[in-house]
Amino acid sequence: MPTKYGDDFIVASYLKWVESAGGRGVRIPYNATKDELDNGTHFPLWGTCLGFEWLVQLQAQNKSILDNVDADNVSSTLLFHQENKNPFTANFHFLGILEKHFDDTALLKSFYKKLATSEDKQGQTYVAAIEAFDYPIYGVQFHPEKNPYEIGDDKTGGSMNLVDHSYEAIVTSQAFAHFFIGEARRNNHSFANPEEEKAALLLNYELSNRSYPYFESTTVFKLP
């Protein structure tokens, strides 16, 4: 989607998060058939925040399924099978899927396993992490990349001032990154040669601080 600058971008903290676990960032146009995915092609997909919401909307076949959630600029706990009572996860969203709504939606409940929930500022319980039963598809409503890479020390009251940068929060972020890159390593697709791989790297694009302090830096793509 073009920005006011006439280009497109990806927030650099997402790339750094991938690189922190040994991955490299490239844009991959990939249209797999269901047969390919069912018969040996391990192609993991990870959705963060809006990506999580898109995964929910696509599977539910309903663009209007999301609920209003009061979870902007707040660090929340994650309730897995064993509760983590420390507010590590960085949340910056106004929409989400409430736990009861998820449980009552057959298309979601039959496709995704509910891994974790969180509570918003009003005490509503929403789904915070999901995993597909039959495919390597994962989604988190929070931002694991922000803990190590979005410092958020905005003295003017900017939107990153509540990101947790504690040791525990960083380790939690890294655990998610290592898990996802571990899944990516199970895919045997590769570039034809080192030159083609080098040309595809997102490191080739301009790094800009124009969005600071909302984002520490962004990788900018010039549109044709």
Side-chain angles (χ1 to χ4, degrees):
M1 180 177 179
T3 68
K4 65 180 181 180
Y5 301 99
D7 52 28
D8 203 352
F9 72 94
I10 182 172
V11 179
S13 54
Y14 290 102
L15 300 180
K16 295 175 183 177
W17 183 73
V18 166
E19 292 169 349
S20 74
R24 307 187 85 182
V26 298
R27 291 193 289 183
I28 303 176
Y30 187 62
N31 295 307
T33 65
K34 186 176 185 300
D35 184 64
E36 286 179 290
L37 297 177
D38 287 340
N39 292 281
T41 298
H42 192 84
F43 195 89
L45 180 66
W46 181 281
T48 292
C49 195
L50 288 176
F52 172 96
E53 294 169 12
W54 290 340
L55 291 175
V56 168
Q57 290 171 319
L58 287 169
Q59 178 56 29
Q61 301 174 26
N62 181 357
K63 293 182 179 179
S64 303
I65 191 172
L66 299 175
D67 303 301
N68 291 320
V69 174
D70 187 7
D72 181 46
N73 195 14
V74 61
S75 288
S76 298
T77 60
L78 280 180
L79 180 60
F80 285 97
H81 294 294
Q82 292 184 337
E83 184 174 2
N84 165 26
K85 295 185 178 180
N86 296 310
F88 293 153
T89 61
N91 290 268
F92 293 86
H93 56 100
F94 299 99
L95 297 173
I97 185 79
L98 296 179
E99 183 177 26
K100 186 178 186 306
H101 195 176
F102 181 97
D103 291 342
D104 290 342
T105 305
L107 283 173
L108 294 178
K109 192 174 181 180
S110 62
F111 188 82
Y112 289 120
K113 181 191 306 181
K114 180 177 57 182
L115 297 180
T117 58
S118 293
E119 285 191 359
D120 73 357
K121 298 174 186 177
Q122 308 305 319
Q124 298 184 107
T125 300
Y126 61 89
V127 178
I130 54 176
E131 173 186 1
F133 286 107
D134 299 320
Y135 301 98
I137 301 175
Y138 312 95
V140 293
Q141 182 68 84
F142 53 93
H143 286 268
E145 82 289 346
K146 289 192 185 300
N147 300 96
Y149 298 116
E150 299 290 358
I151 301 305
D153 188 18
D154 180 10
K155 302 303 183 183
T156 65
S159 64
M160 297 297 173
N161 57 343
L162 292 182
V163 175
D164 189 335
H165 302 292
S166 67
Y167 169 80
E168 292 83 359
I170 302 300
V171 169
T172 301
S173 168
Q174 291 172 338
F176 284 112
H178 282 289
F179 169 79
F180 179 60
I181 297 305
E183 288 292 288
R185 289 190 177 100
R186 296 174 60 187
N187 182 283
N188 61 3
H189 294 185
S190 62
F191 289 95
N193 54 65
E195 290 74 23
E196 186 178 321
E197 177 180 343
K198 182 179 179 181
L201 292 174
L202 294 177
L203 293 173
N204 295 320
Y205 295 90
E206 174 190 352
L207 197 64
S208 170
N209 66 352
R210 69 190 185 192
S211 299
Y212 183 85
Y214 191 79
F215 299 123
E216 286 273 303
S217 57
T218 55
T219 299
V220 177
F221 309 102
K222 300 298 182 184
L223 297 177

